[in-house]
Every structure is written in C-alpha cells, then in structure tokens.
Amino acid sequence: MGENAPKGDEPDVTRRTLLTLTATLGTAAILPAVSPEVRASGQEVQSALGAHQVELQINGQPHRLEIEPWVTLVDALRERLSLTGTKVGCNHGQCGACTVHVDGRRVLSCLTLAAACDGRNVTTIEGLASPEGELHPMQQAFIDHDAFQCGYCTPGQIMSAVALVGEGRLGSEDEIREYMSGNLCRCAAYPKIVAAIRDGARSMGA
Ligand code: FES
Ligand code: FES
C-alpha cells in the first residue's frame, strides 16, 4: 500500500479522486476548494463542487443563478435563461458560434465557466437591439448584405464583428478576415460577411 492510500478510518479521498474530478471538470480553478490540505470526505468534496450562487448582469438585467462550477456560460444562457440566440456548434472552442461579450470583450461561451462570470456584464445577441426593438447597426448590415444562408453562425459572427469594431481592428478586407477567423461559416458566406462588417462598422461610426 503506497503512502497516499487511505488508511483505516481516514477519509477516502485520494489524490487520484481529486485529479479525476479536476480532469473531468476541465479546470484547475476548483483545486483550492479541494486542496490536499483539506481532509474532506468524499461527500464534502461533492458538496464543495455543488451549486453556488452566481450573479450575472445579462443584457442589462441582473440574474441570480444557483449553478454548479462546471456549467459553461453557453449552457447557463441557453438552458437556465432560455437565451437561445447564442448557438452551440463545436462546443470545443473551434467555431465561434457561441461568441458573446463579457465586460465588452468577446469570449467563447462554450469554454467559459458561468461561475467565472460572477459579477460580470454579459451581452448576448438578444441584447444588441435597443429596448424599443431597433436593430443594432451590425445586425441591420448583415440583413442588408444578406450575409448568411442557414444563419446558424450569424449570432456569433455579429457579436464578434461588434467586438472587432470596438477593439479598433477594422482594417483591410484581409485584416477583417484575420480578426474574424475564429468564426466559421459552413455556408461560406464570407464575402458578404466582410461587406456587412464594413458597412455595419460605418454605421457604428467607426
Ligand atoms: S460552440 Fe463554442 S467555439 Fe464552437
Ligand atoms: S450562414 Fe450557415 S453556417 Fe454561416
């Protein structure tokens, strides 16, 4: 029996258990809560990983959620808050369909833990239009340029495009393509997407 094996009545929490939990959840952020110094029982570990209260400001509205630490932002938005405008494509950070803004910066919500957004401002595609329903200039430009076919990638494209303008990265066509390269379009509507971004940015005053 190795040094790390449980002995007698000692808690049955081995380093393997902790590593398995960490690997399964895909984050080291939980480690402080279950560090080896904490001689917790298996039940206590489960409790440490249970639901926590998280406050998110979403599209200007406060939301308090009981959420497990492994829930991604996109799942919280779609499944807990019914904000289904944000799409899931690959769920692995490769397609950009799930792009939203957190504190004004674009993030992939399939790779972002909802708990990590506690106290942050989240903007989704539903939050771009004015409260009166007037479309954001970038939304209007995508419509005007017919910059989609199936439309599945479009919310992510628009969120990324708005952020690109905010980042001051509106440059040549090649530069737009480069800074939009994280947003894939299986319908290959790229030429019209680039044209829409140019036009939308102009309407935004860029
Ligand atoms: S669903 Fe998030 S990057 Fe594809
Ligand atoms: S419009 Fe169909 S994936 Fe982009």
Side-chain angles (χ1 to χ4, degrees):
M1 185 178 287
E3 263 185 35
N4 291 327
K7 300 173 191 136
D9 293 334
E10 284 190 5
D12 188 18
V13 179
T14 65
R15 189 162 55 175
R16 174 186 295 205
T17 306
L18 292 169
L19 290 175
T20 302
L21 285 166
T22 305
T24 306
L25 300 179
T27 174
I30 58 156
L31 273 179
V34 290
S35 69
E37 294 94 73
V38 179
R39 309 283 289 177
S41 68
Q43 274 187 330
E44 285 170 322
V45 171
Q46 287 297 329
S47 159
L49 298 178
H52 292 324
Q53 200 164 84
V54 175
E55 290 195 17
L56 303 174
Q57 192 79 12
I58 299 176
N59 299 330
Q61 298 294 320
H63 292 272
R64 187 171 294 180
L65 298 176
E66 287 286 330
I67 217 155
E68 297 79 12
W70 54 83
V71 174
T72 59
L73 181 57
V74 72
D75 284 346
L77 292 170
R78 290 178 56 86
E79 293 171 17
R80 309 282 178 100
L81 298 169
S82 299
L83 291 170
T84 54
T86 303
K87 303 304 183 199
V88 181
C90 64
N91 214 14
H92 288 293
Q94 292 172 354
C95 74
C98 64
T99 305
V100 300
H101 299 171
V102 175
D103 290 343
R105 300 169 65 106
R106 48 183 161 173
V107 305
L108 297 174
S109 58
C110 73
L111 292 186
T112 304
L113 292 175
C117 298
D118 192 14
R120 306 276 194 85
N121 289 300
V122 178
T123 307
T124 69
I125 190 73
E126 290 91 343
L128 279 193
S130 75
E132 294 74 36
E134 187 185 352
L135 293 180
H136 186 283
M138 194 61 78
Q139 290 174 306
Q140 190 61 55
F142 268 66
I143 292 172
D144 293 345
H145 285 267
D146 203 15
F148 46 81
Q149 289 183 35
C150 76
Y152 198 80
C153 72
T154 309
Q157 299 278 3
I158 291 175
M159 296 308 289
S160 210
V162 171
L164 176 152
V165 175
E167 292 159 9
R169 297 193 189 280
L170 188 73
S172 66
E173 185 174 317
D174 282 349
E175 285 168 320
I176 292 174
R177 286 178 182 272
E178 173 67 21
Y179 287 112
M180 290 294 293
S181 61
N183 291 81
L184 305 183
C185 175
R186 290 183 65 180
C187 301
Y190 297 113
K192 291 183 174 182
I193 289 172
V194 172
I197 292 173
R198 279 216 165 286
D199 201 19
R202 242 192 319 271
S203 302
M204 288 170 68

